[in-house]
Each structure stands twice: as structure tokens, then as C-alpha cells.
Amino acid sequence: MGEKISEIFGTDVFNETVMQERLPKATFKALKKTMENGDDLDPQIADVVASVMKDWAIEKGATHYSHWFQPMTGVTAEKHDAFIAPASEGKIIMEFSGKELIKGEPDASSFPSGGLRATFEARGYTAWDCTSPAFVKEDAAGVTLCIPTAFCSYTGDALDKKTPLLRSMEAINRETVRALHMFGKNDVTHVSCSVGPEQEYFLVDHESYMKRADLRFTGRTLFGAVPPKGQEMDDHYFGAIKERVASFMSELNHELWKLGVYAKTQHNEAAPAQHELAPIYSLANTAVDHNQITMDLMKKVAKRHGLECLLHEKPFKGVNGSGKHNNWSIITNTGENLMKPGKKPNENTQFLFFLAAVMKAVDDHALLLRYSASNPGNDLRLGAAEAPPAIISIFLGEQLSDIVEQVINNGKATDFKKNSYMNIGVHTLPEIKKDATDRNRTSPFAFTGNKFEFRSVASSLSVAGPNTVLNTIVADVLSEYCDELEKYAGTKDFEDEVMKLIRREFKAHERIIFNGNGYAEEWVKEAERRGLPNEVSVVGATKALLEKSTVETFERQHVLNKAELEARAEISYEIYSKTLNIEARTMLEMYAKLFAPAVIKFEKELAEAIGSIRNVSDKIDTSVETELLEKISLKLKEARLAEDKLEKALEEAVSAENAKCQAEAFNNKVFPAMETLRKPVDELEMLVGKDYWPVPTYGDLLYEI
Ligand code: ADP
Ligand code: MG
């Protein structure tokens, strides 16, 4: 691994440099126009690109190509086809046509469609997304050329996470350019949203992982007593990175760099065995692809080091879980970041205009935004005082909140709170300028100087969803604002009219701003008073997809139609039920096959010990042993009853009449029944001898590497 980063970076990517070098000038120009301005793709250039792409991939050792897509399962899917085509005399030639590049036909029936596609209507199509670069991937199967694609049904309905994202990028582009032209920025022809997702994860030892059915089947521990040492010492966060982890990180970076992923920051996180990787931000769809690749590679590279990477939101009860911070902003083709307040934020009408749009979008669609960050695992984390609450609010910080306040009170802001310099009290240290906003780790949606950081997102979730929602709801507000203001564009009244609108909107949506402690109990009450939604489960939040305002907004912006939204709700309910069904059945199996027999074995030996001691002399006091045996037997009884309860709840849920009722039954009945079984088993773990316990404990898993 001695190579320089600059030499290996992007070597496995069919990126712009490669295209410029290898494609005929005219083809490159035409393709670039499609990539940059969203112009229609000319089918004739596809043939040329395909042939050049194939040669490049074959030079890299590729034998196969694959349309790489992102179905609603949330993980990426690929179907490999060899480049070979028969030639005369039983020989083959390596072939790859424009048609094969542009369109693929995987069988859609094996992917969740939420009823959009009946099983007999299995046709599904993948379409080349030329805005996201192709790459080669090497694994045991050899080298494969991966072509990022969108996946849709025969009727053109989106069956994946990529299609709506691309549509939402068109929406935000269209409406933002419109708005900027009003502000006289006629040189802006295109904007894109930039996304930087920070990824948290756990690493555990592979051998121990294999011994736990819950980790293998569900990605989280379903049982486990909290170890004597948790994270209370705060000694893991930013702590020195252990050798084995360091070598994992080094190889991961190397692999990511080859694929053109800007892996930048790595450090230990709050919990033991927890780490984080942050890339430098990029264009939204590239960022989504790269995050999927990152998650994939984390798992793969971990195995090479005898480790397992856990991306689950809450692998360990009582220990901080993992999230993904989705940093988001809008940047123009002229290089302006629209979320940057500038030197004088109070006078920056354009910035305040976009701020108002974000505030309105988030306030009007709070539940939808919360839904977009959710999955079953995140239910265990949001609102548990380690991650933002389930209530969506915006943290603006002192400086911007003050400006909002001034505008509401006086129609404009005459001054602003300046950034100060920190006094560290040591002359030899450099003066450090303070950020205008302090950090607020408890806020779900925080302004962090030049971007918004959506901090609620589930660690294992694709960031396509949250960014699709963000782009769409902000685009829709911008469109509404433009409808109102466009007639004043270029007139002397423009500035006044914009400020009037900003004031009105700040006033109307001030309730969404909250700079305080999001973990505090009072915030829940205060939010309720403000009328902000607080859905504690993804099951309850899913209804946001079907709300009238969501359907109208998404149809207006051509991102998802009603049928597609309904399908997504259906899939969300299905995923919840399936997840909990697997979890509950895994618990029942672990209890019956592992824990109950282990406890009984311990009981038996304890009972025999008591008898043997008494045989020696009846003067020896065996009350301690007897008490322990009694206690264990009572706990086992409690577990036994809980087992019954969970079985019944499960039966009831499985027979529910539709997807929504089923998810609700899993949420309201099965989930609490799982907790009821877990409690006595975790207590038994503390009573039974370590040698008898059939699975590695939390202490083993968290402090082993
Ligand atoms: P912080 O330490 O406040 O979280 P960083 O500067 O470390 O901020 O950035 C965190 C993440 O945000 C990184 O992935 C970074 O690339 C990303 N980021 C920075 N600026 C932007 C932006 N304008 N748009 C989107 N993401 C951004
Ligand atoms: Mg951050």
C-alpha cells in the first residue's frame, strides 16, 4: 500500500478524465451536456461510450458487466452478464453495445414493489444514469464493470431509490434557478445539491459474531446484559485507534480511494467498538452511490481482517447506537453555496430567502422528513437521549436566530452578532476564530455554518430517501415563492417584496426553530404545545407518505405520483413487519435452544452441589446456594411465560389483514413482548456462571478487539 493517494485515487472509475482521454471529442461534449444540463441522451453516443467503456474495463481485467441499482430493499443489487458474444468457429468476442449500456431487464418480481407490479407482470428495467460514473469492482467473482442505473417498472413507475432522487434533483435545479434569476443571477444555469454523509459503524470480532444468531440474522443483539463498563468514562471517543481497527481503516480507505470516494475523516465514536467515516461532500447522487459503496466495502473489508462491521442503528442495548449525518446544501454552477450566510448575513436577502424556504419546507413536512430518516432500527435510537428526538426541529444557533427575530420584529435585521475570537489563555497558541454557531448534538436538523446537517438519519439507510424529500419539499416552496415574487423581479419593489415575504414566512414557521436541549423532557411538552408532530415509530411516521400535502407536493414536482407513494408506504410497512418477524423468531429460537438449556444445566449442577455439600455435613449452611437456585428458577419461569406471550403476539401479527395493520400489530404487540422476554433472560445472564452462558457477552463483543 505504498502508492501515493494521488496515484491510486479514482483508478477504478470511468470518470471524466478517462472519458475525455478516450472518447471522441464530439461524443464527450454531447455526454457532458447531458450530465451537466440534464439534456436528453442521444442514443447514438451510447454505442460509442459503451465500446470505449468496455475496452477500459477489460484492460482492468473485467470479464462481466452489471447494471448496478438500488431497489427498495435499501441495499444495492446487481446482475452480472459476461461481455462474451459467440463468434464463428466456436470462438467468442468481447462485446458490449450501447443498448446493453442504456437498458437492462432484471426480473423485477423478486424486488419489493409495494403492489406496483403484479408477479405476472415481472418486467422491470434498469436505465443508465450517466451522471454517476461507472466503476470496476473486484471480488472473488473476478472484476466486474458496474454501471449505475435507475430501476423502474414496465409502466415507468419508480421501483428504486435512485429514480426519485434524480427527479428531485431536477426539481430543485429548476426552482432554484428560477429563484436566482429573480435575484438577477442570470449567469446561473444549473444548481445541484451537495451531500456529505457521515457514516457510523461498529466493528466486532468475526468469531464472536458467528456465535450469535441474533447478530447474524438481525444485525443487532436481541439479548445481552449491559457490561460493567459502558461508555461513561468517555475514553473511546476520539481515542487512539487500535491496531486491528487501524489496519481495517487503512485498507478501507485504499479501496474507497480507488473507487473515487473522498473518504476523509476517521475516528473512534462515543461507544466502545464504534467508529465513524466521513467523506468530502459531493453531488447528491454520487454521494448516495458512494455511501452505498462505502457500506458495502466496510462489510467486505472487515471480514478480511477477521472482523464484522455492524451498520445496524442499535446493535447493543444500553450503548450508543449509530446514525448517519446527512449534510446538505445547494451549490450553483458558478460556485456559490446558497446556504452560506456570508460576511453580513443580516443584509444577505438572498440567503434569508433560502433560509425561509428551508424553514417552511421542514415545518410543513416535518413528519415526512422524520419518516425519510427512519427504519425499524432507528426506532430504538431516536428519542433515546443519544440521537435526536423523533420531533423534527431546526437548530439555527444564536446568530441566525437573532436575525430571524429582528426580521420578525422590525421587517429587517440591522446588525448581527459577530464571530469572536477565543481566548485560550496561552500566548503561543494561535488565535482561533469561533464559529458563529455552536454545535448542538441534540438537534435533528442543524444549521452548521454553510449547510444543514440532518442528524436523524438511520445508519444503515440509503441517503437517497432523505435527500429526495429535502430536495422536493424545498423545491416546492421555492416554486411557490417564485410564483408570488416573479412579477417584481427587476423592479425597484423587488427588495421590499422579498423582505415582506421573508418576514411573513419567518413568523409563520418560527415554531420549527429550537436551539435548546432536544433530549430534555420539557422539549417533548413544548413541541406538543407548538403542534409539532412526535411519532415515536417508523410505523406511525409512514402515514406521512399518504398525506394530501405530500401527494400534492410530490406530484407537483414530478418526483413521485400517488401510486408510487402508496407503494412506498406499503413497502415500509412490509419491511417493518418482516424485520420484527425475524427478530421475534430469532429470540424464540435462541431462548428455547440456547438460554433455557444453559440455565437448566446450571440449575442441575447447582442442585447437585447443594446435595453434595449437605451430604458432607448437615451443619453446613447451604442457604446461599439454595436462594440462588430459587431465584434462577423464578426468572426461568418468568421467561417461560414471556415466551408464550411472544408466541401469541407473533401469531396474531402474522395473521393481520393488511400490511398496515400487520406493522401496527408488530409495533404494538410483538415489540413489547420481545422486551418482556429479553428482561428475565438478561437477568439470568447475570446469575448464571460465565462458562455456562452459550453466547459471547456484551463485555466480550465490545472490548475484544
Ligand atoms: P462538522 O465537523 O461540522 O460535522 P465538517 O466540515 O467536518 O463539519 O463536515 C462534515 C461533513 O459535511 C463532511 O462530509 C463534509 O464534506 C460535509 N460538508 C461540508 N460542507 C458541505 C456542503 N456545503 N454541503 C454538503 N455537505 C457539506
Ligand atoms: Mg457532523
Side-chain angles (χ1 to χ4, degrees):
M1 263 185 219
E3 311 108 300
K4 283 197 196 128
I5 302 179
S6 59
E7 277 164 24
I8 58 160
F9 191 83
T11 45
D12 285 351
V13 187
F14 190 71
N15 55 23
E16 237 183 89
T17 320
V18 181
M19 288 194 261
Q20 190 160 20
E21 265 169 32
R22 298 187 170 225
L23 288 174
K25 253 203 181 104
T27 314
F28 177 71
K29 248 173 98 181
L31 187 61
K32 209 165 142 74
K33 256 176 90 182
T34 301
M35 282 159 53
E36 279 172 5
N37 307 333
D39 291 1
D40 283 344
L41 184 74
D42 177 353
Q44 274 169 4
I45 69 163
D47 270 326
V48 183
V49 178
S51 150
V52 171
M53 203 188 259
K54 178 201 69 187
D55 290 343
W56 172 82
I58 289 173
E59 279 168 36
K60 296 258 161 212
T63 50
H64 288 69
Y65 70 92
S66 162
H67 275 201
W68 185 77
F69 59 106
Q70 304 174 16
M72 296 302 296
T73 51
V75 292
T76 50
E78 44 198 89
K79 176 179 154 230
H80 296 187
D81 283 295
F83 284 121
I84 57 171
S88 57
E89 293 166 29
K91 296 216 164 69
I92 54 136
I93 50 164
M94 299 296 258
E95 210 177 64
F96 184 52
S97 70
K99 231 170 83 196
E100 287 166 311
L101 166 66
I102 292 182
K103 192 178 103 181
E105 283 190 51
D107 181 351
S109 61
S110 320
F111 296 103
S113 78
L116 275 180
R117 172 208 43 71
T119 347
F120 61 85
E121 229 310 345
R123 232 178 250 277
Y125 294 99
T126 50
W128 178 34
D129 167 21
C130 68
T131 60
S132 193
F135 55 92
V136 290
K137 194 166 103 166
E138 188 176 354
D139 52 26
V143 180
T144 306
L145 167 67
C146 294
I147 302 153
T149 55
F151 180 44
C152 62
S153 75
Y154 186 64
T155 47
D157 290 322
L159 291 176
D160 67 348
K161 301 205 170 206
K162 189 56 152 320
T163 309
L165 176 74
L166 294 173
R167 292 179 186 157
S168 79
M169 286 167 67
E170 285 194 11
I172 194 97
N173 172 44
R174 182 179 61 237
E175 304 304 333
T176 308
V177 169
R178 236 180 112 190
L180 288 172
H181 286 179
M182 255 176 14
F183 280 91
K185 301 249 163 96
N186 290 313
D187 52 340
V188 174
T189 53
H190 192 262
V191 306
S192 44
C193 35
S194 51
V195 169
E198 301 167 54
Q199 179 73 47
E200 291 180 340
Y201 61 97
F202 279 83
L203 288 176
V204 296
D205 180 73
H206 171 75
E207 299 284 321
S208 300
Y209 167 92
M210 290 306 287
K211 290 185 190 134
R212 293 207 55 135
D214 47 4
L215 280 180
R216 276 191 291 131
F217 297 152
T218 74
R220 74 173 175 113
T221 54
L222 299 164
F223 298 96
V226 178
K229 182 180 180 222
Q231 60 203 50
E232 57 276 72
M233 303 290 279
D234 281 332
D235 52 355
H236 187 71
Y237 193 53
F238 283 27
I241 298 171
K242 294 193 181 117
E243 283 289 302
R244 199 158 151 210
V245 174
S247 74
F248 156 84
M249 285 179 171
S250 148
E251 189 177 335
L252 177 64
N253 283 336
H254 185 85
E255 297 272 327
L256 288 171
W257 290 332
K258 280 201 298 184
L259 286 168
V261 178
Y262 299 105
K264 165 100 173 150
T265 313
Q266 61 201 25
H267 59 79
N268 287 354
E269 258 302 324
Q274 192 186 27
H275 312 279
E276 179 184 300
L277 184 146
I280 299 171
Y281 67 88
S282 55
L283 201 68
N285 64 330
T286 314
V288 168
D289 286 358
H290 283 181
N291 184 244
Q292 295 297 122
I293 291 175
T294 302
M295 291 195 287
D296 243 29
L297 275 175
M298 280 177 165
K299 291 188 160 272
K300 219 178 255 173
V301 174
K303 282 189 200 292
R304 293 185 204 147
H305 292 258
L307 300 166
E308 285 291 333
C309 172
L310 307 179
L311 292 168
H312 195 282
E313 290 66 32
K314 193 75 179 172
F316 304 98
K317 187 180 180 177
V319 177
N320 266 16
S322 299
K324 183 139 57 193
H325 297 171
N326 186 83
N327 295 276
W328 175 91
S329 75
I330 311 175
I331 298 180
T332 67
N333 63 316
T334 52
E336 184 183 355
N337 177 357
L338 301 179
M339 296 300 146
K340 212 167 173 172
K343 291 217 157 55
K344 292 182 178 167
N346 57 323
E347 292 171 14
N348 191 342
T349 317
Q350 183 191 299
F351 171 75
L352 297 178
F353 171 84
F354 282 102
L355 177 62
V358 172
M359 276 170 59
K360 177 176 168 57
V362 174
D363 189 20
D364 286 352
H365 299 278
L367 190 58
L368 180 65
L369 206 55
R370 183 257 186 261
Y371 164 75
S372 77
S374 315
N375 66 3
N378 224 14
D379 276 10
L380 304 167
R381 202 176 144 260
L382 295 183
E386 56 159 80
I391 309 158
I392 295 288
S393 64
I394 300 179
F395 170 84
L396 280 188
E398 217 179 306
Q399 188 184 66
L400 286 187
S401 296
D402 171 62
I403 292 174
V404 168
E405 215 40 52
Q406 287 186 56
V407 172
I408 289 176
N409 294 334
N410 315 317
K412 61 178 195 282
T414 45
D415 57 10
F416 66 98
K417 297 190 170 169
K418 306 222 167 29
N419 306 349
S420 52
Y421 285 88
M422 262 183 303
N423 182 358
I424 308 180
V426 180
H427 286 105
T428 51
L429 292 177
E431 274 197 330
I432 298 176
K433 203 170 158 199
K434 275 194 196 174
D435 287 318
T437 58
D438 194 4
R439 284 166 188 273
N440 185 327
R441 299 216 150 257
T442 70
S443 175
F445 201 81
F447 183 73
T448 47
N450 61 355
K451 61 188 185 288
F452 280 96
E453 184 173 357
F454 189 14
R455 307 182 64 257
S456 313
V457 182
S459 54
S460 65
L461 199 68
S462 157
V463 283
N467 289 300
T468 301
V469 168
L470 265 174
N471 294 344
T472 308
I473 61 179
V474 173
D476 199 55
V477 174
L478 289 174
S479 154
E480 196 184 311
Y481 286 180
C482 288
D483 287 347
E484 187 178 334
L485 290 175
E486 253 165 1
K487 56 178 173 286
Y488 301 106
T491 73
K492 62 175 181 7
D493 297 332
F494 181 68
E495 185 76 18
D496 281 353
E497 292 298 329
V498 179
M499 279 317 293
K500 259 201 257 170
L501 176 138
I502 293 172
R503 183 187 200 182
R504 183 192 75 206
E505 295 299 299
F506 278 176
K507 241 191 220 168
H509 302 288
E510 200 189 6
R511 67 168 187 168
I512 198 72
I513 298 174
F514 177 63
N515 293 326
N517 178 8
Y519 294 172
E521 196 43 48
E522 299 88 74
W523 170 232
V524 178
K525 291 190 200 113
E526 167 66 13
E528 194 182 339
R529 205 183 52 71
R530 293 190 193 183
L532 300 176
N534 181 12
E535 278 293 346
V536 294
S537 169
V538 58
V539 178
T542 300
K543 66 170 178 280
L545 286 171
L546 307 172
E547 270 169 11
K548 192 160 165 265
S549 66
T550 304
V551 176
E552 284 173 0
T553 303
F554 274 67
E555 291 203 329
R556 243 190 330 259
Q557 295 306 318
H558 310 290
V559 174
L560 287 169
N561 61 35
K562 188 157 184 253
E564 289 171 321
L565 285 162
E566 281 168 356
R568 264 146 225 265
E570 191 83 359
I571 293 170
S572 169
Y573 292 132
E574 277 171 13
I575 288 177
Y576 187 83
S577 298
K578 283 180 186 162
T579 306
L580 265 83
N581 189 32
I582 296 170
E583 289 186 348
R585 284 171 41 206
T586 305
M587 283 188 91
L588 288 169
E589 187 179 298
M590 287 176 82
Y591 171 70
K593 295 215 170 135
L594 292 175
F595 298 127
V599 172
I600 293 166
K601 184 164 179 241
F602 185 72
E603 279 181 328
K604 177 173 169 275
E605 288 183 23
L606 187 54
E608 283 168 5
I610 295 169
S612 315
I613 297 169
R614 282 191 187 148
N615 268 347
V616 175
S617 149
D618 53 12
K619 291 206 188 78
I620 303 177
D621 180 2
T622 51
S623 63
V624 175
E625 293 81 352
T626 313
E627 255 172 53
L628 178 60
L629 186 55
E630 279 168 8
K631 206 165 157 186
I632 289 174
S633 153
L634 280 175
K635 286 282 160 224
L636 193 61
K637 174 92 196 212
E638 193 185 325
R640 171 74 197 88
L641 293 174
E643 183 193 21
D644 262 355
K645 201 176 144 195
L646 179 54
E647 268 169 356
K648 283 213 185 72
L650 196 55
E651 240 169 70
E652 209 183 299
V654 169
S655 59
E657 61 195 37
N658 61 43
K660 179 165 184 271
C661 293
Q662 184 160 76
E664 281 165 356
F666 270 105
N667 189 209
N668 300 329
K669 303 268 170 60
V670 176
F671 182 71
M674 282 162 60
E675 284 306 296
T676 314
L677 175 57
R678 175 173 189 151
K679 189 172 154 284
V681 175
D682 288 357
E683 285 163 356
L684 282 165
E685 185 187 328
M686 299 303 288
L687 298 174
V688 169
K690 165 104 176 128
D691 293 346
Y692 294 78
W693 206 245
V695 298
T697 63
Y698 272 27
D700 297 335
L701 288 163
L702 291 167
Y703 294 100
E704 198 164 26
I705 49 171

